[in-house]
Amino acid sequence: MFDSFNRRINYLRISVTDRCNLRCTYCMPAEGIQLIPRERILTSEEILEITRVAVDLGVTKVRITGGEPLVRRRMVELVEAMANMDGIEDFGMTTNAIALPEFAKPLRDAGLHRLNISLDTVDPDRYRELTRCGDLVDAIAGIDAAIAAGFDLIKLNCVIQESSDEPDALGVAAFGKERGLQVRFIRKMNLATGEFWQVDGGDGGKCSTCSRLRLSSDGKLYPCLFSDLCYDVRELGIEPAIHAALEGKPLSGHKATREFNTLGG
Ligand code: SAM
Ligand code: SF4
């Protein structure tokens, strides 16, 4: 499918929850977030139906994100059902790795192709400071469980302030090299002020070739991360919402009033 600027749209990012087991400083405000009421969160059946329609319309790449996707219950079952769907060529998940010691192998066995794991530092004190509550030992155990589970590809996502020469970034680069994992540095963005950058080695932030639609965990399709425009799948119906999102997808983003956890970056 194509948007009104003739960009091919074949990538759906699905936020399965706005909840998280960490509180990263750049993602959530210190005072916490207004959570989506549980009864408004999409059911697994709804997520599968929306994905099915999107795939029938031309989506070939699906990424599950959050919040933290692994705090959602019955995630492995949902992944398995999606992995069995014809038409998805590239099926990944973005996670903070904290729950991977438990879930890496079941996710791999369920058919997930690849993982993007967020890791911004390998200094335990800095990790706690950046995540406000996380333990680096858990994240590293999760990364090692993912390596052992044999995913097609595991990338580390490292959010940086300014440059990949910062001490935290250098530490993550060395860790990635040691474990044989590709590291992508992502400059910290700000949805409220509209500061965003292209992601080195990725396709994020390149508006002219953007191929994405994003689904929030309460069923809204967002054509752009840096815009408040959204189309409610439950109100409009799945196919009309997808068509409206294609029509409404802006040429480039500006700013948005939500936090990162709503749409998963
Ligand atoms: N909880 C999962 C995780 O952290 O990997 C998935 C959701 S998280 C919102 C998705 C990605 O967005 C992570 O790689 C995270 O580092 C990134 N992210 C969050 N806030 C960001 C910001 N202000 N600027 C750039 N990337 C950000
Ligand atoms: Fe949670 Fe991911 Fe946001 Fe960190 S970046 S608070 S792990 S959703």
Side-chain angles (χ1 to χ4, degrees):
M1 48 190 172
F2 291 86
D3 72 359
S4 59
F5 299 100
N6 218 27
R7 288 173 296 197
R8 183 169 176 227
I9 307 299
N10 65 353
Y11 183 2
L12 180 64
R13 283 200 179 196
I14 304 173
S15 170
V16 293
T17 180
D18 59 339
R19 272 85 173 153
C20 189
N21 45 6
L22 298 181
R23 291 279 175 276
C24 302
T25 49
Y26 49 70
C27 179
M28 295 198 191
E31 65 278 13
I33 46 159
Q34 179 86 40
L35 290 174
I36 297 170
R38 264 183 208 285
E39 62 277 11
R40 286 192 24 222
I41 301 279
L42 292 173
T43 64
S44 293
E45 291 68 31
E46 287 177 304
I47 293 174
L48 287 168
E49 202 186 333
I50 296 164
T51 310
R52 177 74 266 160
V53 174
V55 169
D56 286 345
L57 288 170
V59 162
T60 56
K61 184 172 174 183
V62 172
R63 171 165 297 278
I64 294 183
T65 178
E68 171 50 42
L70 296 177
V71 303
R72 185 179 161 116
R73 275 178 296 157
R74 303 170 66 86
M75 215 31 242
V76 175
E77 286 95 321
L78 181 56
V79 161
E80 186 166 19
M82 263 190 205
N84 287 330
M85 212 179 263
D86 285 337
I88 303 179
E89 291 163 14
D90 186 339
F91 183 28
M93 177 184 283
T94 304
T95 172
N96 60 30
I98 297 292
L100 281 178
E102 181 181 353
F103 291 117
K105 176 108 180 27
L107 287 170
R108 181 59 177 153
D109 291 346
L112 188 69
H113 301 161
R114 53 174 165 150
L115 284 176
N116 278 18
I117 297 179
S118 304
L119 183 72
D120 304 329
T121 180
V122 287
D123 175 327
D125 295 332
R126 285 282 296 145
Y127 188 82
R128 181 158 301 264
E129 197 178 304
L130 283 170
T131 60
R132 294 204 185 98
C133 60
D135 189 337
L136 180 69
V137 170
D138 297 334
I140 292 187
I143 293 168
D144 286 335
I147 295 170
F151 284 92
D152 296 346
L153 185 64
I154 303 172
K155 284 185 190 169
L156 298 178
N157 281 356
C158 177
V159 172
I160 54 174
Q161 298 293 324
E162 297 275 333
S163 105
S164 51
D165 289 333
E166 293 158 12
D168 285 331
L170 291 175
V172 174
F175 174 83
K177 202 166 171 198
E178 194 185 290
R179 295 295 203 277
L181 306 175
Q182 193 182 325
V183 181
R184 289 191 322 159
F185 296 105
I186 303 171
R187 259 186 90 179
K188 186 164 91 178
M189 307 186 201
N190 189 323
L191 287 168
T193 59
E195 287 168 284
F196 64 100
W197 290 274
Q198 293 192 4
V199 175
D200 285 343
D203 47 13
K206 288 183 202 153
C207 302
S208 63
T209 54
C210 182
S211 59
R212 302 168 184 192
L213 292 181
R214 293 176 159 85
L215 178 67
S216 66
S217 56
D218 59 350
K220 295 183 179 115
L221 270 174
Y222 286 80
C224 176
L225 182 60
F226 278 82
S227 161
D228 285 332
L229 263 182
C230 65
Y231 303 88
D232 194 317
V233 169
R234 283 170 171 154
E235 270 173 26
L236 301 170
I238 302 171
E239 203 168 325
I242 293 176
H243 286 300
L246 291 175
E247 282 289 302
K249 188 172 166 73
L251 189 53
S252 65
H254 296 285
K255 47 178 119 169
T257 52
R258 77 199 108 66
E259 303 295 339
F260 259 84
N261 72 300
T262 326
L263 284 184

